[in-house]
Amino acid sequence: MALYYFDLDDNGTIFPDDEGTECADLGAVKYEAIKALAEMTKDALPDGDHHRMVIVVRDEGGDLVFRGSIVFNVEAQRSSSASRSSPDSHI
């Protein structure tokens, strides 16, 4: 097993991993990174309308071995009576 460091970036706030996580192979690294991104997304949902979350995984030598990101935007749509009626509603 090798040691990998999972650094997190949530909207520009960096959370470096100083402890590391042991993973058997790159498949395990990918699994752990995706799982962490999913958890970050779940935790961020009630906080704001835009999030860009990135995870960067480094090996023990500091080399990049994986990078993944999730971006979500919430856009409110104004409703109007015109948009709720059909084009033929005046007939």
Side-chain angles (χ1 to χ4, degrees):
M1 289 249 231
L3 194 60
Y4 295 91
Y5 297 90
F6 294 74
D7 301 326
L8 307 175
D9 175 343
D10 183 4
N11 278 345
T13 302
I14 309 295
F15 301 94
D17 179 4
D18 297 327
E19 295 179 22
T21 300
E22 287 190 350
C23 294
D25 56 26
L26 292 179
V29 168
K30 181 179 176 182
Y31 173 82
E32 291 297 327
I34 291 170
K35 186 171 80 169
L37 279 172
E39 290 172 5
M40 288 172 58
T41 301
K42 185 182 89 172
D43 292 344
L45 283 175
D47 184 27
D49 293 339
H50 173 78
H51 275 277
R52 179 176 185 270
M53 290 163 281
V54 180
I55 190 160
V56 175
V57 184
R58 299 174 284 120
D59 65 14
E60 291 179 271
D63 294 325
L64 174 72
V65 295
F66 183 87
R67 184 177 195 279
S69 64
I70 292 178
V71 176
F72 69 87
N73 294 301
V74 176
E75 298 177 13
Q77 299 292 322
R78 276 192 336 149
S79 63
S80 68
S81 59
S83 66
R84 282 181 267 155
S85 61
S86 70
D88 296 325
S89 64
H90 64 280
I91 301 175

